[in-house]
Amino acid sequence: MHASFPVDVDLALVGGGGAASLVLAALDRHDVTGLRVAVVDPVHKRGQDRTWAFWGLPGEDLDPMLSASWSQVDVVTPAGRRVLSLDPLRYAMLRSAPVYDRAAEAERRLDAVRISAPAGKLHDDGERVTVRDPDGRDLVRAGWVLDSRPRRPKRPGRTSWLQHFRGWWLAADRPTFDPQRAVLMDFRTPQPQRGVSFGYVLPVDDRFALVEYTEFGPALLDDAGYDAALRGYADLLGLDLTALRVREVEDGVIPMTDGPFESRPSPRVVRLGTAGGATRPSTGFTFSAMLRQADQVAGALAAGRPPVPAPAYPGRHLWMDAVALRALDRGHVGGVEFFERLFDRNPPERVLRFLDGVTSPAEDLAVMRSSPLLPMTGAVLGDAAGRLRARLRR
Ligand SMILES: Cc1cc2nc3c(=O)[nH]c(=O)nc-3n(C[C@H](O)[C@H](O)[C@H](O)COP(=O)(O)OP(=O)(O)OC[C@H]3O[C@@H](n4cnc5c(N)ncnc54)[C@H](O)[C@@H]3O)c2cc1C
């Protein structure tokens, strides 16, 4: 803990996880100097606690930190295997340790103050923000606060699903995986009654890979459930688990909801990461939006402007996601069919850019045209009625 409170800074990062680490790295990349920074988080994130998979253009400054990248990925359904060529994009795997290390390096260069305590309420008087601890003591006074503490949406969504998963980092003594080929989604897994499930494989080399089982749906599994599902998926892949070692286990739960995440709760507080709406409701993908917003924040600070990024996703994408979530949840459309058609009827680059929230309205229309029209129309009408009901209730 720092000796004298409150600490006076220009920028306080409240929450020092994924979003904050990317901001710190971006401040370095933009050569921001002379900015007084504090990071408030009871946990100093280090090591491998998650693996980020995302797509982007090669040559970005994360490249040296990547564990692996692929220019082709497989999407597998019971009907067959599609090999998607991603050119000019590539699918990349970034483990958390180098990101947290990079953030620590930036913190040192910025001479940032690290406060290893939980933050409680924020008080924004329009000029400065006071960050208090849960007992109401002042910890920091800052010109701006970037708050990435996990939180629920402002209002419950009309559909509230979770992306939940378990992955095993599997090590083999002999060549077992094809390092040239990642599996983006493999829908041959038994499908849950409500929701959709898939497996995926991200090989680092021919003897080491992350094999993961994921569900999108309303409820979590128990511990034994995830293990059984992963064993089942390993069987489908033809892997002999008795010949492999589970080196690490990676669990996660990510919200998939049309409930609104408030990105600017007060004039000088900006929410980032999942708390700020960076998680795409229809897929749980978050990383690319966090990266984009971190770059915008650092670019603005370097230019002496307020660190306020553009919204993580355009409103029309959030609406499309609300409709898709509703269609999936109410059983208007099957999850496998939904993703199958998406990949079958669009070039892979368009799908990936759509999932990142960077497609144009014309491209969005093309994506919409590829979805099963009648059931989606039912979901659109249902969504409109749901919105109206929620508005009347408020
Ligand atoms: C295991 C896992 C794998 C994932 N893989 C992918 C992926 O492949 N691709 C993708 O796009 N997304 C992925 N995600 C989703 C998303 O990218 C990550 O969750 C990402 O870390 C979100 O960043 P964040 O900053 O919003 O939250 P976090 O990284 O969770 O950071 C929140 C921080 O807030 C701190 N905090 C909590 N309470 C307080 C408090 N009171 N005061 C101060 N600090 C506090 C926490 O200690 C934490 O450090 C994954 C998520 C998980 C859990």
Side-chain angles (χ1 to χ4, degrees):
M1 294 274 279
H2 194 265
S4 61
F5 291 112
V7 178
D8 198 58
V9 293
D10 304 308
L11 180 73
L13 297 168
V14 176
S21 298
L22 293 175
V23 167
L24 286 161
L27 290 174
D28 239 7
R29 192 165 62 245
H30 283 265
D31 261 334
V32 173
T33 49
L35 189 78
R36 296 169 308 152
V37 178
V39 184
V40 186
D41 194 320
V43 181
H44 197 157
K45 291 273 204 168
R46 293 187 182 90
Q48 314 283 18
D49 68 356
R50 63 201 56 195
T51 304
W52 284 294
F54 65 101
W55 38 83
L57 290 167
E60 288 165 353
D61 91 326
L62 295 176
D63 275 18
M65 289 189 247
L66 299 180
S67 297
S69 68
W70 307 271
S71 53
Q72 287 189 333
V73 294
D74 293 359
V75 172
V76 191
T77 65
R81 179 179 295 266
R82 293 161 191 72
V83 180
L84 309 181
S85 171
L86 305 182
D87 189 50
L89 303 176
R90 51 105 171 88
Y91 197 47
M93 180 212 269
L94 179 60
R95 303 211 63 197
S96 54
V99 177
Y100 299 148
D101 288 349
R102 180 77 188 79
E105 196 184 303
E107 269 186 58
R108 278 193 294 278
R109 190 188 66 78
L110 289 158
D111 203 15
V113 178
R114 178 48 87 155
I115 298 173
S116 299
K121 289 211 164 87
L122 307 180
H123 176 73
D124 182 350
D125 67 10
E127 297 286 322
R128 302 199 59 78
V129 188
T130 306
V131 181
R132 304 209 161 105
D133 74 7
D135 297 323
R137 281 184 296 256
D138 293 358
L139 291 175
V140 179
R141 285 217 183 88
W144 284 90
V145 165
L146 303 178
D147 184 359
S148 56
R149 287 173 292 173
R151 67 174 55 241
R152 290 176 192 283
K154 194 172 154 202
R155 294 188 298 278
R158 287 177 299 281
T159 312
S160 292
W161 273 20
L162 299 165
Q163 181 190 137
H164 51 105
F165 51 87
R166 171 164 294 174
W168 285 337
W169 278 97
L170 294 176
D173 289 327
R174 58 176 68 96
T176 302
F177 306 103
D178 178 354
Q180 303 308 319
R181 300 185 69 165
V183 177
L184 182 70
M185 289 173 150
D186 184 341
F187 293 102
R188 291 174 302 159
T189 47
Q191 293 301 309
Q193 278 215 314
R194 247 177 105 197
V196 54
S197 79
F198 58 90
Y200 66 77
V201 185
L202 300 179
V204 169
D205 57 40
D206 62 6
R207 289 156 203 241
F208 193 45
L210 176 62
V211 176
E212 197 149 307
Y213 172 82
T214 301
E215 273 190 27
F216 294 172
L220 302 180
L221 304 183
D222 60 14
D223 202 48
Y226 288 111
D227 279 348
L230 254 174
R231 269 196 302 275
Y233 183 49
D235 271 354
L236 268 175
L237 294 170
L239 294 173
D240 173 9
L241 286 175
T242 59
L244 297 165
R245 290 179 305 284
V246 180
R247 271 227 216 128
E248 291 167 48
V249 180
E250 190 167 313
D251 290 326
V253 181
I254 303 172
M256 296 176 75
T257 174
D258 57 356
F261 287 91
E262 210 176 8
S263 57
R264 190 88 181 271
S266 66
R268 288 179 167 265
V269 176
V270 172
R271 291 212 185 112
L272 291 180
T274 298
T279 298
R280 182 90 208 231
S282 62
T283 61
F285 277 113
T286 311
F287 186 83
S288 297
M290 292 199 305
L291 187 64
R292 192 161 60 233
Q293 291 195 314
D295 199 61
Q296 291 166 358
V297 162
L301 287 168
R305 285 185 280 110
V308 183
Y313 301 104
R316 63 180 191 281
H317 285 185
L318 296 178
W319 172 76
M320 286 166 82
D321 279 9
V323 169
L325 273 179
R326 185 183 187 90
L328 292 166
D329 183 56
R330 312 305 194 267
H332 295 311
V333 62
V336 179
E337 182 197 1
F338 179 82
F339 284 101
E340 202 168 33
R341 287 177 72 128
L342 198 64
F343 284 109
D344 257 357
R345 301 183 181 197
N346 294 283
E349 194 204 340
R350 184 191 293 153
V351 178
L352 300 186
R353 292 178 55 253
F354 170 72
L355 297 178
D356 273 351
V358 293
T359 35
S360 67
E363 290 173 303
D364 295 344
L365 219 56
V367 170
M368 276 184 87
R369 270 205 300 269
S370 65
S371 63
L373 201 60
L374 260 180
M376 290 308 266
T377 311
V380 169
L381 295 176
D383 181 66
R387 268 169 211 267
L388 192 64
R389 270 198 301 277
R391 205 159 292 158
L392 291 176
R393 235 179 282 132
R394 283 204 298 281

